[in-house]
Amino acid sequence: MINQFLHNDTIAAVATAAGTGAIAVIRLSGPEAISITNSVFKGKDLTQQASHTIHFGTLRDGDKIIDEVLISLFVAPHSYTKENVVEISCHGSDFIVQQIMQLLLKKGARLANAGEFTKRAFLNGQFDLAQAEAVADLIASDSALSHEVAMKQMRGGFSQEIKRLRAELVHFASMIELELDFGEEDVEFADRDQLRSLILNIQQIIRELLKSFELGNVIKNGVPTVIVGKPNAGKSTLLNKLLNEEKAIVSDVPGTTRDFIEDEINIGGITFRFIDTAGLRETTDKVEAIGVERTMQKLSQSSLIIYLFDITGTTPEELEAELEKLNPKKLPFLPVANKIDQATPDQLAAFAGMAGLVQISAAEGARLEELKQALVNKVNLGKLNTQQQTIVTNLRHVDSLNKTYEALDDVLNGLGLGMSGDLVAADIRRALYSLGMITGEITTDDLLDNIFTKFCIGK
Ligand SMILES: Nc1nc2c(ncn2[C@@H]2O[C@H](COP(=O)(O)OP(=O)(O)OP(=O)(O)O)[C@@H](O)[C@H]2O)c(=O)[nH]1
Ligand SMILES: [Mg+2]
């Protein structure tokens, strides 16, 4: 599918983030990328230069010099998009960048849409759809693990696995379709037992991939960790300490926090999304009551609960009862005793033997490292081997895998009932269709729009 003229317009966009920086990069892609740049460039004749070369010169609007720049040339098909690509490195002022952009648009370039460079790269066969999506994940990656998983997907690990499954199914689909050509003669080219065991095998692999999404989701989106407890337990104080920022209001008035407040931090390579909530109590205050309601909602949506209590005002029995009441669904939780700085030796001793309990002073920031370690242990990514295991991180892929699985169930049922080849073939094709959606062998305009508009402009 290599065809540099698949798109006949030339797109341009700023590839670096807005704001003042040392340099900024403007990128062009399309048949006229080099000639348009050349028309405003004073230096060597860019149309005569080899691919992968860099040229110093000035960009001019008529006689006016806009900037001194470096031009990187990538001649089709040896570029990210497989089209002619130019990258202009200019000085990082928004004003200069806008002047250059206007000049390029005046000379015939079109402003690129979000993700359009990567979309062109995909359409021109540079990589498949799952790899293109990984480019966005890579840009968004904010922890060692999310980076590692995105990098692996971008380099094609996940795609290989899907393509292998698909190729095996294609083989059977074509054998069955061959039978259909023979019509009356009652031949079986596709060995039904072999087909059945292949499908069971593929389903097993799909189950593992789907299971990996639990982790994949954590890696990509972080672990939603809700901090709950009675009013004045010190929840907001703890949130602020964890974030190292005065994010939530702290006061000695019980019922200070009404809405939930959340932010992310990275602990030991894992992103935790901490959510501070309104303290739990019966209240007649209308606003606070809504806050408590929301706390209960957040509680059911989170993956991990920190139950924070004031050790100076709580007995072990009260704690047990509270946890029982709060967590009927038995979500993973971490009981945390706060205000040990003010606790009497008796109060500390009362909780000393309690398994899994962490004791801290949020106000003094004491023993926070222990708390962090306990959080990491709870998520337990220790078992994870990101090197070997393929991890699904994308909801769209999960959806396609589920649909594939269902279609394969139908194939198995069909085989069990001795259904005719054309019906079995139709179910296999349905499975192929869903699998093909992942890597982009099958695409629709809507699907592509959906994926690429989530990219930033210039990528
Ligand atoms: N001595 C001591 N006081 C603390 C500690 N942590 C919090 N406090 C105090 O406890 C009071 C309540 O703290 P907050 O963080 O507002 O408590 P909260 O759990 O968010 O309370 P609500 O938002 O009302 O539910 C404040 O006066 C804090 O300074 C601690 O570790 N030791
Ligand atoms: Mg609070």
Side-chain angles (χ1 to χ4, degrees), residues 230-237 248-251 253 255-259 261 276-279:
K230 296 223 167 107
N232 259 355
K235 300 179 293 298
S236 300
T237 309
I249 299 174
V250 167
S251 89
V253 181
T256 304
T257 308
R258 268 96 190 281
D259 226 334
I261 298 162
D276 177 26
T277 58

Side-chain angles (χ1 to χ4, degrees), residues 181-350:
D181 290 342
F182 283 75
E184 308 293 290
E185 292 174 42
D186 215 16
V187 286
E188 274 197 6
F189 293 115
D191 181 328
R192 299 302 194 257
D193 287 338
Q194 235 180 319
L195 177 58
R196 189 175 295 115
S197 73
L198 171 72
I199 289 177
L200 289 172
N201 184 22
I202 293 179
Q203 284 192 318
Q204 170 64 26
I205 293 170
I206 291 179
R207 272 198 301 274
E208 279 163 24
L209 287 172
L210 286 170
K211 192 159 185 326
S212 79
F213 181 66
E214 281 173 29
L215 273 174
N217 195 32
V218 159
I219 291 170
K220 188 164 154 185
N221 297 323
V223 189
T225 305
V226 67
I227 307 172
V228 296
K230 296 223 167 107
N232 259 355
K235 300 179 293 298
S236 300
T237 309
L238 176 61
L239 179 84
N240 290 347
K241 268 282 167 354
L242 287 169
L243 300 179
N244 221 345
E245 183 189 332
E246 297 304 308
K247 182 118 183 165
I249 299 174
V250 167
S251 89
D252 56 5
V253 181
T256 304
T257 308
R258 268 96 190 281
D259 226 334
F260 51 81
I261 298 162
E262 54 183 280
D263 210 340
E264 294 181 350
I265 57 160
N266 186 313
I267 304 176
I270 303 165
T271 304
F272 286 86
R273 164 162 288 277
F274 288 108
I275 306 148
D276 177 26
T277 58
L280 294 163
R281 65 169 173 183
E282 303 280 332
T283 173
T284 51
D285 181 307
K286 210 166 146 191
V287 180
E288 195 186 346
I290 296 170
V292 172
E293 179 102 354
R294 290 192 175 183
T295 301
M296 297 313 285
Q297 252 175 33
K298 278 283 157 192
L299 203 59
S300 63
Q301 293 163 2
S302 64
S303 314
L304 184 58
I305 302 170
I306 294 178
Y307 182 78
L308 191 71
F309 64 95
D310 180 347
I311 197 170
T312 66
T314 313
T315 65
E317 294 70 35
E318 282 166 351
L319 175 64
E320 296 286 355
E322 196 65 23
L323 287 175
E324 197 58 39
K325 192 172 80 190
L326 259 182
N327 191 14
K329 282 202 268 171
K330 303 273 176 247
L331 293 169
F333 74 92
L334 191 65
V336 179
N338 190 26
K339 308 197 184 180
I340 53 170
D341 54 297
Q342 281 192 338
T344 64
D346 282 352
Q347 285 167 338
L348 290 172

Side-chain angles (χ1 to χ4, degrees), residues 66-276:
I66 299 177
D67 198 8
E68 292 187 341
V69 298
L70 285 177
I71 306 285
S72 308
L73 284 185
F74 306 88
V75 179
H78 305 292
S79 73
Y80 182 62
T81 57
K82 297 201 176 236
E83 302 174 328
N84 284 337
V85 168
V86 171
E87 287 184 6
I88 304 173
S89 306
C90 60
H91 290 101
S93 121
D94 281 337
F95 177 75
I96 291 175
V97 166
Q98 286 319 315
Q99 294 279 301
I100 296 174
M101 278 304 295
Q102 276 173 25
L103 194 58
L104 296 172
L105 299 183
K106 204 164 76 186
K107 295 291 179 182
R110 167 173 74 69
L111 192 61
N113 298 317
E116 199 170 359
F117 290 90
T118 305
K119 184 175 175 182
R120 286 188 175 196
F122 162 68
L123 291 172
N124 288 329
Q126 177 76 281
F127 37 53
D128 67 36
L129 203 53
Q131 288 174 296
E133 287 171 298
V135 172
D137 290 349
L138 195 66
I139 294 171
S141 69
D142 56 2
S143 69
L145 275 175
S146 60
H147 168 256
E148 186 177 331
V149 173
M151 186 55 96
K152 197 172 161 203
Q153 186 176 324
M154 192 178 78
R155 296 184 67 83
F158 179 51
S159 301
Q160 293 301 330
E161 187 141 5
I162 298 297
K163 281 182 189 148
R164 193 171 51 75
L165 299 182
R166 201 161 181 270
E168 293 186 58
L169 273 177
V170 165
H171 169 71
F172 270 98
S174 53
M175 295 301 263
I176 289 182
E177 265 149 32
L178 205 60
E179 288 171 12
L180 301 178
D181 290 342
F182 283 75
E184 308 293 290
E185 292 174 42
D186 215 16
V187 286
E188 274 197 6
F189 293 115
D191 181 328
R192 299 302 194 257
D193 287 338
Q194 235 180 319
L195 177 58
R196 189 175 295 115
S197 73
L198 171 72
I199 289 177
L200 289 172
N201 184 22
I202 293 179
Q203 284 192 318
Q204 170 64 26
I205 293 170
I206 291 179
R207 272 198 301 274
E208 279 163 24
L209 287 172
L210 286 170
K211 192 159 185 326
S212 79
F213 181 66
E214 281 173 29
L215 273 174
N217 195 32
V218 159
I219 291 170
K220 188 164 154 185
N221 297 323
V223 189
T225 305
V226 67
I227 307 172
V228 296
K230 296 223 167 107
N232 259 355
K235 300 179 293 298
S236 300
T237 309
L238 176 61
L239 179 84
N240 290 347
K241 268 282 167 354
L242 287 169
L243 300 179
N244 221 345
E245 183 189 332
E246 297 304 308
K247 182 118 183 165
I249 299 174
V250 167
S251 89
D252 56 5
V253 181
T256 304
T257 308
R258 268 96 190 281
D259 226 334
F260 51 81
I261 298 162
E262 54 183 280
D263 210 340
E264 294 181 350
I265 57 160
N266 186 313
I267 304 176
I270 303 165
T271 304
F272 286 86
R273 164 162 288 277
F274 288 108
I275 306 148
D276 177 26

